[in-house]
């Protein structure tokens, strides 16, 4: 899997190292474990998916983590992305709206003794104001727009990666906040995520 990521252009050695270290099969259903190291997304129940390894690597690489950061992830899903972040940053706060997925993810993270992950069940489109500011924010579900509150919860010098687009196709945006508070946005890649549902995302019926 990691050799495939290198072929596809992932160059950050820390990201490749983390993805070599975290066993992805722990985060998928047993029946799918034979496919755990292929470069594809897989169903995890509740009509949700564990993201494709390439997109996990690409998004993580865009955050340029050094190991000292406090990171917010929205959309815990299986917990795999949170585990990768937890090996690359100081602390991870992750939010999942679907309780059974959050409980499963917590178990998987605990089995790897990733004690620097704080997991909350709720609507991540509001961020996590009590824990802000964050040095990095990663949104792993497709949003209709960039929620203002997430930019507000980003620390000066921070980086935010979010898929923004319609219900099917999105563009991966990298939002950077300067030390003076200025905000710049760059489009990085095409992607296809399940929807970010909540107050500042899609509504459930759309
Ligand atoms: N990062 C995940 C992983 O490593 O398995 C994959 C995330 S999956 C593509 C998207 C997840 O976002 C789903 O589990 C979904 O329930 C969750 N989600 C959607 N809207 C959300 C919201 N407002 N707050 C928190 N989680 C949300």
């Amino acid at each position: 899997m990691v050799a495939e990521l290198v072929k596809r252009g992932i160059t950050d050695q820390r990201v490749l190292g983390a993805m070599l270290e975290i066993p992805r099969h722990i985060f998928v259903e047993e029946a799918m474990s034979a496919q755990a190291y292929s470069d594809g997304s897989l169903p995890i129940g509740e009509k949700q998916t564990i993201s494709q390894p390439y997109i996990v690597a690409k998004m993580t690489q865009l955050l340029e983590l050094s190991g000292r950061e406090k990171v917010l992830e929205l959309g815990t899903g299986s917990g795999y992305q949170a585990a990768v972040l937890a090996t690359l940053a100081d602390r991870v706060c992750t939010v999942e709206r679907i309780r059974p997925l959050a409980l499963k993810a917590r178990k998987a993270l605990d089995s790897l003794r990733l004690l620097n992950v704080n997991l909350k069940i709720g609507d991540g489109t509001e961020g996590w104001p009590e824990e802000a500011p964050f040095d990095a924010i990663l949104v792993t579900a497709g949003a209709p727009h960039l929620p203002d509150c997430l930019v507000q919860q980003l620390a000066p010098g921070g980086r935010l990666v979010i898929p923004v687009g319609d219900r099917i196709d999105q563009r991966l945006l990298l939002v950077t906040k300067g030390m003076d508070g200025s905000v710049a946005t760059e489009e990085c890649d095409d992607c296809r995520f399940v929807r970010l549902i909540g107050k500042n995302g899609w509504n459930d019926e759309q």
Side-chain angles (χ1 to χ4, degrees):
M1 179 185 92
V2 171
E4 182 62 29
L5 299 177
V6 173
K7 260 198 224 156
R8 292 202 61 185
I10 302 300
T11 53
D12 185 324
Q13 292 302 314
R14 292 189 74 241
V15 173
L16 294 168
M19 293 185 67
L20 205 52
E21 186 181 325
I22 300 296
R24 189 168 182 256
H25 68 273
I26 302 243
F27 296 89
V28 304
E29 282 165 20
E30 224 174 304
M32 304 270 170
S33 58
Q35 295 159 68
Y37 298 98
S38 310
D39 192 22
S41 61
L42 292 169
I44 55 171
E46 309 287 341
K47 298 189 191 143
Q48 305 301 325
T49 52
I50 179 173
S51 306
Q52 176 193 9
Y54 169 72
I55 207 80
V56 171
K58 174 83 188 187
M59 291 173 101
T60 310
Q61 178 166 275
L62 286 170
L63 295 179
E64 295 184 359
L65 299 172
S66 70
R68 291 185 294 272
E69 297 82 3
K70 182 176 185 182
V71 183
L72 174 66
E73 182 203 16
L74 305 181
T76 316
S78 68
Y80 177 70
Q81 172 77 73
V84 170
L85 293 171
T87 65
L88 294 169
D90 181 47
R91 267 189 71 198
V92 177
C93 295
T94 181
V95 187
E96 172 55 55
R97 63 183 283 273
I98 301 178
R99 175 176 290 270
L101 292 182
L103 298 179
K104 254 201 224 168
R106 178 78 271 170
K107 259 198 188 163
L109 292 163
D110 287 349
S111 76
L112 296 177
R113 302 205 181 290
L114 292 168
L115 305 176
N116 58 341
V117 181
N118 204 358
L119 193 163
K120 179 169 97 163
I121 298 169
D123 177 9
T125 67
E126 301 192 81
W128 196 330
E130 302 81 5
E131 290 283 355
F134 298 97
D135 305 300
I137 299 179
L138 187 55
V139 182
T140 66
H145 60 266
L146 170 64
D148 262 358
C149 65
L150 297 186
V151 179
Q152 279 161 25
Q153 290 176 36
L154 193 62
R159 299 168 77 83
L160 185 166
V161 174
I162 180 170
V164 174
D166 61 29
R167 277 172 282 176
I168 299 177
D169 296 306
Q170 302 92 34
R171 294 283 292 161
L172 208 53
L173 303 188
L174 169 64
V175 180
T176 48
K177 194 184 253 190
M179 295 311 284
D180 60 355
S182 59
V183 174
T185 303
E186 200 183 308
E187 287 192 19
C188 298
D189 218 336
D190 290 319
C191 54
R192 200 165 254 203
F193 275 89
V194 293
R195 285 174 306 146
L196 181 75
I197 295 171
K199 189 175 163 205
N200 301 309
W202 295 99
N203 82 45
D204 217 353
E205 287 82 45
Q206 282 170 315

